[in-house]
Amino acid sequence: MSPRVFEAQRVPRKIATLKTVDGRTYPLRAATIRARAEGGLAATTLIQEYANPYEEPLEVIYTLPLPADGAVLGYTVHVGDRVIRGEVQPREKAEEAYRHALYEGRTTGLLEQDRDDTFQQRLGNIPPRTDARIEIEILQPLAFLAGIGGDAPSWEYRFPTVASVRYQGEPGRVPDSERLDVDRDGDGGIPARVALDLTIADETARGGQPSSASHGLTCETKEGGVHVRLAEASRLDRDLAIRWAASVQDVGVRVVEGGGLPGDDGRYALLTITPPEAPKAFYRRDLTVLLDTSGSMDGEPLRLAKRVVVRLLESLGEGDRFEVLAFANETVRVTRGLVEASPRQVRDSVARVEKLGAGGGTEMSKAMGEALRPLRKDAQRQILLVTDGQIGFEREVIAKLTAEGHAVARVHVVGVGSAANRALTHGVARAGRGVELHASDDSTADEAVARLIAGSASPVLVDLTVGGSAVQAAAPRRPRDVFAGQPLVMTAELKPSGGMLGVTAILAGSREQWIWRMETPAAASSATPLPLGAHHGREIIADLESGEVLKEDALSYLIGRGSGGAEREIERVAMRHKIVSRRTSLVAIAEEPSVDPLAPRRRERLAVELPAGVSAEGVGLKRFLGGPDIRYRLSMGVPPTAQMRSISRLQMREAEAPSFMRRADTGSDQHHVTATALHIDGLDAVIEFEVPVDEFYLPTGDLMFLVIGSQMGKARVIEEKSAARGPHAGGLLVRLALRLEKGLEWPAGEEVELHWKDLDDREFILTVSISPEADQAP
């Protein structure tokens, strides 16, 4: 058995800041979104161009957004003449493979999902002065927007370009907060721009120019469809949203079949369900408005949110009731419970809404719980959440909706601003069987209100199900209602033998059933080259995430205390359909080393843009103004409290410690550094750490080895397995190989401290946290 390679690191919570980005050395040079849209789906390739501007190998860590409802199904790394293709693996296995490749000096890439719309990409061992290109493949559904005011319906293609700023709440509430908190550029120094190459193959697009509220476009009709590009390359600070005309669907169900990715031999169908035009009845509405007034809404987002709420309240009529709740740190009632929608009540409530300001945290879970209350039997309960969605505990909110007793409510979401958190807006709308809409300017805000009015007052089909002898599984398990002029798109896995495929629903406002059926033949040939299996797998995982499949485990799982049943099922589904999920990642590894594994290297976690229109002050971002010593301590993740804890441990063993270890000052002559253990084999270990000061030399000879309360002895430097002695510049990552004297051991699950002094009498204390899983390999 070969020695085990692993990573274990003590990382206190990082606080994201505004920082100045040096555009000359920012490794991400440009991005291109290349897509083809047709028939309600889009196949997109996100291309990222990187360059290593340094003389050392480089590892880049980049938090990037991808469509929340998309299936991520491909990952390719190009470095020089090398093409490195990724494969889907269980998350822990992929991470271990990535670390092993780093250790061996091979170029490698890793793509991990943190939220439905937020991913972390790591690209390691980019050779010095070398370019690299990443290609990420996504299959995503288009949004169908019903026509309003006599306009034709439209398709919308939406692709995010900046990760959300997320409110995390108290420490420990969001276990992966460190990964979500990324530094933001405070001076416009990020040079990367995004370009677009979109082909719209729908015939309807030829009848009118595609349009965008977010970007200027240039359009040209060519063979294969309408080609859409940005008028100029754009900053990575807002969603890219493009619309074009859609054909009016015939009443009934349109079925398109397709297969899965290589290795998935399933048979899948995409169902587009178009209702009769006229609803049987118009519901009286019990409408609860949840208006986000937290700090991230300061400025343009809150202005747009108020516009949506005011216009929706003004649309209410006789028989409707409403209430408005505003939430930040606390939930405040703008109205006294549900009130009748009289002209006076509406007028007074609008005046109160207009006076609201933004500030504080985003305690959305409490607000959602307040909104979910009993309803009238003769009314359909409608909840409207208006928010930018900037929280890190999305699953808490979704859990409120999937808890028993709330199945009768419909929850609609309007995401406001340039880059709403779609992991929240899409997830809540899906779990609440409502619609998800976006408002990035006055025009789209007014359109959202018009669609909300139609959706909340006049559903056509409710309680819809897909089944029959041909169906193995359909998703979503609980589809939303179907509105006039607003088709519903679902997926199903069909049996190879074929059989009956049926859709049933209730015509809203009556007990009359709406039924559609068709016979599917045995093993029909694929009608579309798109991998519908990947899209179906993504929909199944979305059901799992919202607790729709494993009901008995759903609520505890969603708040982080599940038995693991949903976790295992998400991994199984994702591996079967070859897509990325929270439990699976894409990893690409070169076959041969591309850099000297002993060479010092650099690691950069890229700062990203602040979403357009978002107030840095409102979301709590502050510019870091500390001096050089404080800066390097923060960058290594060792705050003063951790330093003092380390010193107090030394004092506990003062009687046994050598004299140079009895110091209790934290002056400039004493440097505390955290290290990562890369490799352990018996008494030998290879560790890696960030150089704390310029003109730094690696130690030689013997170091003091200390495990508080259990071990003390010596560790000898193995120079032939370590980086060159130096001098090294501050900020570089260097390796140090050590061999313990007999009688000592590298303890799993504990911290090891290594102490030495250099020729300038500067003392270094290196703390290595050893993972409990990092048992020594035989």
Side-chain angles (χ1 to χ4, degrees):
M1 182 175 179
S2 61
R4 186 167 185 178
V5 176
F6 64 93
E7 185 172 27
Q9 193 170 14
R10 180 182 65 185
V11 183
R13 179 169 177 177
K14 170 185 174 292
I15 298 176
T17 62
L18 288 174
K19 65 179 295 185
T20 299
V21 174
D22 181 357
R24 294 170 300 173
T25 59
Y26 192 75
L28 178 62
R29 297 306 195 200
T32 301
I33 298 169
R34 184 173 296 155
R36 178 182 175 85
E38 183 178 15
L41 291 174
T44 300
T45 300
L46 172 64
I47 303 168
Q48 301 167 76
E49 305 284 349
Y50 289 92
N52 178 2
Y54 302 110
E55 300 298 334
E56 301 84 18
L58 174 66
E59 180 186 16
V60 173
I61 303 173
Y62 179 44
T63 298
L64 74 156
L66 293 174
D69 50 359
V72 181
L73 43 86
Y75 185 66
T76 306
V77 178
H78 300 259
V79 179
D81 295 332
R82 297 188 181 190
V83 179
I84 312 165
R85 303 199 183 279
E87 64 174 86
V88 174
Q89 295 184 6
R91 187 170 184 131
E92 290 79 10
K93 184 178 179 181
E95 188 177 4
E96 183 178 357
Y98 175 83
R99 291 194 299 261
H100 194 93
L102 278 184
Y103 180 76
E104 294 181 336
R106 292 187 282 171
T107 298
T108 179
L110 178 67
L111 184 67
E112 298 176 301
Q113 178 182 313
D114 293 324
R115 296 293 185 274
D116 287 349
D117 69 340
T118 306
F119 293 71
Q120 186 180 95
Q121 178 177 272
R122 301 182 71 172
L123 180 59
N125 285 337
I126 307 174
R129 302 293 178 182
T130 300
D131 295 340
R133 186 171 83 251
I134 298 289
E135 296 179 0
I136 302 173
E137 298 170 32
I138 308 105
L139 182 66
Q140 64 186 105
L142 303 172
F144 187 94
L145 303 175
I148 55 175
D151 293 338
S154 60
W155 291 113
E156 182 179 75
Y157 173 83
R158 180 174 291 269
F159 201 95
T161 68
V162 62
S164 299
V165 182
R166 283 176 162 92
Y167 168 72
Q168 310 285 9
E170 65 277 5
R173 184 177 188 177
V174 180
D176 60 349
S177 60
E178 163 71 12
R179 294 172 65 95
L180 298 175
D181 281 340
V182 294
D183 290 334
R184 304 279 168 168
D185 171 42
D187 295 304
I190 291 178
R193 296 292 184 266
V194 63
L196 173 71
D197 182 2
L198 170 65
T199 299
I200 302 172
D202 288 326
E203 284 296 323
T204 53
R206 298 175 183 270
Q209 287 285 89
S211 62
S212 174
S214 60
H215 295 76
L217 304 178
T218 62
C219 304
E220 185 178 3
T221 300
K222 294 183 178 180
E223 183 179 354
V226 178
H227 291 253
V228 182
R229 290 178 171 81
L230 298 183
E232 59 182 7
S234 172
R235 291 177 62 173
L236 296 163
D237 66 350
R238 69 194 68 202
D239 287 356
L240 172 63
I242 298 170
R243 295 180 182 179
W244 62 93
S247 60
V248 177
Q249 303 286 337
D250 294 331
V251 174
V253 180
R254 176 174 176 261
V255 179
V256 176
E257 285 199 41
L261 291 166
D264 176 7
D265 58 359
R267 178 185 178 189
Y268 304 97
L270 190 71
L271 286 70
T272 304
I273 302 164
T274 304
E277 290 187 8
K280 285 287 184 178
F282 287 86
Y283 281 104
R284 291 189 291 174
R285 286 172 288 179
D286 280 356
L287 176 65
T288 297
V289 176
L290 287 177
L291 175 58
D292 186 350
T293 57
S294 62
S296 65
M297 295 284 289
D298 188 33
E300 182 70 359
L302 185 58
R303 188 189 71 81
L304 290 171
K306 289 179 179 180
R307 187 181 182 99
V308 168
V309 172
V310 167
R311 278 160 173 69
L312 186 60
L313 293 182
E314 291 173 344
S315 77
L316 299 176
E318 184 178 353
D320 294 334
R321 299 191 303 180
F322 72 94
E323 64 178 341
V324 180
L325 306 178
F327 66 91
N329 287 329
E330 301 293 336
T331 302
V332 176
R333 290 192 168 275
V334 179
T335 60
R336 296 181 178 178
L338 280 168
V339 297
E340 297 295 332
S342 67
R344 179 180 176 181
Q345 290 282 14
V346 169
R347 185 172 58 252
D348 290 348
S349 298
V350 165
R352 296 189 192 104
V353 167
E354 294 286 15
K355 293 179 181 179
L356 294 171
T362 316
E363 293 300 332
M364 192 180 296
S365 298
K366 292 189 292 186
M368 184 62 72
E370 185 72 15
L372 292 166
R373 294 179 302 157
L375 67 160
R376 294 182 290 179
K377 293 182 179 180
D378 60 346
Q380 189 184 65
R381 183 59 170 279
Q382 306 284 337
I383 297 173
L384 171 62
L385 173 62
V386 187
T387 179
D388 59 4
Q390 310 294 7
I391 61 172
F393 43 87
E394 297 93 338
R395 284 186 285 163
E396 277 187 23
V397 180
I398 294 172
K400 298 283 187 182
L401 300 176
T402 56
E404 194 66 31
H406 301 317
V408 290
R410 300 294 188 267
V411 183
H412 311 291
V413 186
V414 176
V416 294
S418 61
N421 172 11
R422 290 200 64 212
L424 185 283
T425 61
H426 175 71
V428 166
R430 195 180 194 281
R433 292 190 288 175
V435 296
E436 177 198 17
L437 298 165
H438 298 272
S440 58
D441 60 8
D442 289 352
S443 175
T444 52
D446 293 345
E447 290 177 3
V449 172
R451 293 189 172 96
L452 282 168
I453 293 170
S456 61
S458 55
V460 179
L461 299 177
V462 297
D463 299 330
L464 186 143
T465 60
V466 174
S469 59
V471 179
Q472 291 194 159
R477 287 282 292 267
R478 287 199 310 160
R480 64 163 172 80
D481 297 338
V482 185
F483 312 120
Q486 179 74 60
L488 171 67
V489 179
M490 296 184 60
T491 65
E493 181 174 3
L494 304 180
K495 297 176 182 177
S497 58
M500 177 66 70
L501 171 62
V503 180
T504 62
I506 301 296
L507 285 165
S510 74
R511 296 183 179 180
E512 183 181 345
Q513 271 199 329
W514 184 87
I515 300 173
W516 176 91
R517 290 177 180 167
M518 71 170 283
E519 283 288 336
T520 61
S525 59
S526 297
T528 175
L530 294 175
L532 296 185
H535 181 49
H536 177 70
R538 180 66 190 84
E539 290 292 301
I540 293 292
I541 289 173
D543 277 343
L544 284 162
E545 293 278 12
S546 62
E548 286 304 315
V549 176
L550 299 180
K551 281 288 188 182
E552 70 280 1
D553 194 40
L555 185 57
S556 59
Y557 157 68
L558 288 168
I559 61 175
R561 295 194 295 271
S563 64
E567 298 279 307
R568 291 191 298 270
E569 187 64 8
I570 288 171
E571 183 176 310
R572 185 196 68 79
V573 171
M575 289 298 297
R576 183 201 164 185
H577 296 286
K578 313 296 183 185
I579 59 176
V580 176
S581 69
R582 282 194 306 103
R583 295 297 312 138
T584 52
S585 305
L586 274 161
V587 61
I589 300 174
E591 293 183 359
E592 300 294 333
S594 49
V595 302
D596 178 1
L598 296 184
R601 64 189 184 97
R602 292 181 182 269
R603 176 189 291 147
E604 289 196 17
R605 184 172 185 179
L606 302 189
V608 302
E609 297 266 17
L610 189 67
V614 171
S615 163
E617 182 178 329
V619 295
L621 288 171
K622 297 180 180 179
R623 186 174 299 280
F624 181 69
L625 298 174
D629 290 341
I630 299 296
R631 183 177 292 110
Y632 88 71
R633 285 206 295 270
L634 286 175
S635 69
M636 286 183 277
V638 187
T641 53
Q643 296 177 24
M644 293 308 297
R645 183 168 62 249
S646 177
I647 292 167
S648 65
R649 286 175 176 167
L650 297 180
Q651 292 170 338
M652 290 170 55
R653 299 290 302 274
E654 188 172 16
E656 303 176 38
S659 59
F660 82 85
M661 293 172 58
R662 298 177 189 170
R663 299 172 57 187
D665 72 272
T666 56
S668 59
D669 287 338
Q670 189 178 65
H671 302 280
H672 295 258
V673 185
T674 57
T676 297
L678 297 178
H679 182 91
I680 285 183
D681 185 13
L683 296 177
D684 292 355
V686 177
I687 63 177
E688 184 178 65
F689 60 93
E690 186 175 318
V691 173
V693 291
D694 286 332
E695 298 293 317
F696 174 82
Y697 287 87
L698 284 175
T700 60
D702 292 338
L703 281 63
M704 179 60 63
F705 172 91
L706 176 66
V707 180
I708 301 299
S710 61
Q711 299 183 68
M712 177 181 283
K714 294 180 180 179
R716 176 167 289 274
V717 175
I718 308 174
E719 294 188 26
E720 63 271 21
K721 294 183 179 181
S722 301
R725 185 157 184 257
H728 299 294
L732 291 179
L733 293 168
V734 293
R735 289 188 185 181
L736 182 64
L738 299 164
R739 176 170 295 152
L740 300 181
E741 63 183 357
K742 291 183 179 180
L744 300 177
E745 63 178 358
W746 297 98
E750 296 188 53
E751 288 185 345
V752 170
E753 290 184 354
L754 300 164
H755 301 251
W756 76 92
K757 280 188 174 183
D758 67 4
L759 296 177
D760 295 325
D761 205 37
R762 297 179 299 185
E763 181 183 346
F764 294 90
I765 301 175
L766 193 65
T767 301
V768 189
S769 298
I770 308 298
S771 167
E773 293 80 21
D775 297 329
Q776 295 182 14

